[in-house]
Amino acid sequence: MAGINTNQNRDNPFKQNWFVTAIWLLVLCYVAYSFNAMGLSWERFNEGLGHASNLLGRMIPPNFSRWSLLMSGLVESLEIAIISSICGIFISLFLGLFAARNLMPNWVSTPIRTLIALCRTFHPVIIAILFVKSVGFGALAGILTLVVASVGFIAKLFAEAIEEISLKQVEAIRATGAGFTSIILFSVMPQVFSRFIGFSTYQLDSNLRNSTMVGIVGAGGLGGTLFSAFQRFDYDFVAAILIIIIALIMFGEFLSNIVRRIFR
Amino acid sequence: MNTIDHHWQRFTLKQKLSRYAVYLVLVIAFVQSIQSVEVIPEFLLDAPEQMADMFSRMWPIDFAYYPDTVHDAMVETLNIATLGTLITLIFAVPLALMNASNIVQSTWCHWISRFFLVSSRSVNSLVWALLFVSIFGPGVIAGVLAIAFRSIGFVGKLLGEAIEEVNMGSIEALKATGASWMSILLKGYWPQVLPAFFSIVLFRWDINVRESAVLGLVGAGGIGVVLDDSMNLFQWDRVAMSLLAIFVIVILAEIVVVNIRKRLI
């Protein structure tokens, strides 16, 4: 009788992949090396844990007694975020159009693309430092920084969205003899507008986050208050500021969700 | 006989009104902010001149400064970014597993993990660095932990979403063979999540290289310390050297990530 032969030598379906194992080993070696090279040791970590409990003890309860200072910083952060988002989005609307390769000749799109990439390369804090040194302390430096950051992000995504549109509608509008502005307004924009709104609300959100941070290098907003509270070891006030920042960010997320729902 | 209304509208009245309301609120907020924000107009008019002055001081770049200080600081920055990304995984993987609804069913677990992920993302890496500098003192350890804690939210959220998209067929097949919990994770979920996992980690590493370059401004090690020192001493040619080094390393990181991604996926 022909029974089922179960003693066949089958290949193991989960074979050891030596290449991947080697990569994991390399990562392990790297971790050991870098822990040594940077002088990270368990004693130092343990010591730090003591400091951490001390710090937490001083942070709790949060101290809201200087709420007027807190509110003025908060309002300044909000203003920086709003102005820089609106200016940045407006500028990137044009830059995005000019950077799209399917609408513009190469000699227009290439320099604009380079400009956008340059805006994106540096971290906002570094740009903030440069602006603080050139236009002085205060909200103006923060606004300019976040405008640059917004351009680097939205203009790139917007240009990519434009490059993905269907050109048939563009041709249809062009066939009616429409001018350039009409072509943009009636064939390009309707196809990308909802995505543009999506990028913009995301950028408003992230500008709100960053506006609380540029103050650390002196560019206005709540970050400056936070940094000076850290330097004066007012940890209970620091806790209050952190709570306000998290609340602000959650509020921003809530707002951008509403806007996104309206424009969907 | 009922007549059909042929008048076509793209949006209903309510949609239109709510859109106009958004525009109106934006304009009001913008005008209000412009009026109350403390911008000194002379500074704004002066800005191009001041910037030209700053860039003229940056030129020529002090290349002799590179081997002295910048090189070591640059290696330190890369180490902070890489080690920070690796330490993130220790926290982010369990949180991602807890956050995926096809692995853990309990709503309580979801809320706990979501709380950690959101709070990790809401606090900026510079603020994390400030906190860790006051705990561990200035130095690399604060930078590594700041990068790690900032990345947990990002990696955990995206990884959780990748796990939720896994094809459950092979998981059920494994369960039917009576495989243990651990081997279901390793042989069922892991091979499917693997490409997403590597692309998320690489993406975050790329971001972390940029972020770790500024952590030194609050004393958390890396190239930022060099940048801050030379800026406080008004040595603008050295500032330019540090900025150039950051620029090159960021571009290199991007090229590396793009190439590895092409191989893996």
Side-chain angles (χ1 to χ4, degrees):
Chain A
M1 206 175 104
I4 301 166
N5 185 9
T6 50
N7 290 335
Q8 258 173 7
N9 250 341
R10 290 235 179 82
D11 279 345
N12 183 358
F14 303 113
K15 249 186 283 182
Q16 187 87 351
N17 187 339
W18 290 110
F19 180 66
V20 174
T21 318
I23 289 180
W24 283 115
L25 274 178
L26 266 180
V27 169
L28 215 64
C29 288
Y30 168 76
V31 170
Y33 149 77
S34 57
F35 263 94
N36 268 330
M38 294 195 289
L40 303 179
S41 67
W42 188 246
E43 292 92 67
R44 184 132 187 245
F45 189 73
N46 238 351
E47 195 187 322
L49 287 186
H51 289 299
S53 69
N54 190 5
L55 180 79
L56 273 181
R58 287 177 65 178
M59 278 171 103
I60 297 168
N63 175 6
F64 284 97
S65 60
R66 267 176 288 171
W67 59 273
S68 59
L69 185 63
L70 203 62
M71 283 322 281
S72 71
L74 184 70
V75 168
E76 197 177 35
S77 275
L78 261 176
E79 286 165 353
I80 291 176
I82 290 170
I83 297 177
S84 62
S85 304
I86 292 183
C87 294
I89 290 166
F90 190 71
I91 295 172
S92 27
L93 186 62
F94 289 97
L95 285 184
L97 280 172
F98 284 118
R101 286 200 206 94
N102 53 354
L103 293 180
M104 293 290 158
N106 257 338
W107 60 268
V108 178
S109 65
T110 313
I112 301 272
R113 277 177 170 270
T114 321
L115 178 74
I116 293 171
L118 215 62
C119 287
R120 213 157 27 90
T121 317
F122 283 114
H123 194 275
V125 171
I126 292 179
I127 300 173
I129 294 170
L130 294 181
F131 276 126
V132 166
K133 297 287 170 186
S134 58
V135 302
F137 288 99
L140 179 61
I143 293 172
L144 291 174
T145 305
L146 294 182
V147 167
V148 170
S150 314
V151 166
F153 185 77
I154 307 188
K156 175 182 182 266
L157 289 180
F158 187 45
E160 279 170 7
I162 293 177
E163 281 171 4
E164 284 166 15
I165 61 170
S166 131
L167 281 173
K168 284 176 186 160
Q169 299 182 33
V170 181
E171 275 166 30
I173 299 280
R174 198 173 278 158
T176 66
F180 181 73
T181 331
S182 313
I183 291 177
I184 298 290
L185 275 180
F186 296 109
S187 68
V188 179
M189 289 309 285
Q191 292 189 56
V192 289
F193 192 65
S194 63
R195 293 189 68 189
F196 184 64
I197 293 287
F199 302 146
S200 305
T201 48
Y202 178 82
Q203 189 60 37
L204 185 63
D205 212 36
S206 89
N207 278 348
L208 209 54
R209 283 161 203 245
N210 286 341
S211 68
T212 60
M213 166 199 68
V214 288
I216 289 177
V217 292
L222 205 49
T225 323
L226 181 71
F227 193 45
S228 54
F230 254 110
Q231 285 177 328
R232 279 182 278 112
F233 306 109
D234 284 345
Y235 290 125
D236 47 354
F237 190 43
V238 166
I241 298 173
L242 286 180
I243 291 172
I244 289 288
I245 289 181
I246 293 179
L248 178 72
I249 287 166
M250 290 193 165
F251 175 68
E253 241 162 54
F254 171 71
L255 268 189
S256 60
N257 274 339
I258 290 180
V259 172
R260 224 169 286 166
R261 207 175 307 143
I262 287 175
F263 280 95
R264 195 169 48 201
Chain B
M1 218 176 102
N2 51 349
T3 52
I4 301 166
D5 187 9
H6 280 295
H7 183 67
W8 183 81
Q9 270 187 317
R10 191 161 169 217
F11 302 114
T12 61
L13 186 67
K14 199 181 150 204
Q15 276 177 325
K16 263 194 207 164
L17 281 182
S18 46
R19 278 170 189 235
Y20 285 128
V22 170
Y23 293 135
L24 191 68
V25 167
L26 271 182
V27 170
I28 290 174
F30 186 62
V31 171
Q32 178 63 32
S33 309
I34 288 255
Q35 277 173 350
S36 56
V37 81
E38 284 160 20
V39 168
I40 304 164
E42 286 84 35
F43 279 10
L44 186 60
L45 293 176
D46 207 21
E49 204 180 307
Q50 295 286 340
M51 279 216 275
D53 180 52
M54 188 178 70
F55 283 118
S56 75
R57 283 184 212 193
M58 281 186 176
W59 195 260
I61 298 172
D62 185 4
F63 282 106
Y65 191 51
Y66 180 79
D68 288 355
T69 339
V70 177
H71 181 75
D72 289 343
M74 222 55 238
V75 173
E76 206 174 84
T77 300
L78 277 179
N79 273 336
I80 291 175
T82 317
L83 204 57
T85 315
L86 290 175
I87 289 177
T88 296
L89 295 180
I90 302 173
F91 300 99
V93 171
L95 282 175
L97 289 176
M98 263 170 82
N99 203 20
S101 55
N102 53 352
I103 292 189
V104 179
Q105 263 86 29
S106 129
T107 340
W108 272 105
C109 276
H110 292 179
W111 278 110
I112 293 170
S113 61
R114 208 159 296 163
F115 169 75
F116 281 114
L117 295 180
V118 167
S119 44
S120 145
R121 260 180 306 148
S122 316
V123 180
N124 198 281
S125 53
L126 271 181
V127 178
W128 277 119
L130 277 173
L131 275 175
F132 284 118
V133 165
S134 52
I135 292 174
F136 293 104
V140 178
I141 191 165
V144 171
L145 287 177
I147 289 289
F149 273 73
R150 166 75 171 167
S151 316
I152 290 173
F154 181 92
V155 176
K157 179 171 187 266
L158 292 182
L159 198 58
E161 280 167 10
I163 293 173
E164 278 180 351
E165 279 166 18
V166 154
N167 172 13
M168 293 304 281
S170 56
I171 313 288
E172 273 166 31
L174 270 171
K175 268 186 197 156
T177 66
S180 70
W181 185 76
M182 199 62 201
S183 30
I184 291 177
L185 271 188
L186 276 180
K187 312 289 188 194
Y189 285 100
W190 173 241
Q192 293 192 52
V193 180
L194 186 109
F197 174 81
F198 280 113
S199 80
I200 293 166
V201 170
L202 279 174
F203 186 35
R204 190 64 219 183
W205 179 74
D206 189 23
I207 298 174
N208 284 345
V209 170
R210 282 159 211 243
E211 298 225 317
S212 59
V214 298
L215 289 181
L217 295 169
V218 294
I223 185 81
V225 178
V226 177
L227 190 66
D228 198 35
D229 286 349
S230 40
M231 201 131 44
N232 288 337
L233 298 172
F234 297 105
Q235 294 164 327
W236 285 102
D237 46 353
R238 296 188 171 182
V239 171
M241 181 64 238
S242 315
L243 288 181
L244 182 71
I246 294 174
F247 184 77
V248 170
I249 221 73
V250 166
I251 300 282
L252 278 181
E254 210 165 305
I255 293 172
V256 166
V257 165
V258 166
N259 277 324
I260 297 182
R261 227 173 224 269
K262 251 187 233 157
R263 297 265 162 85
L264 274 177
I265 300 153

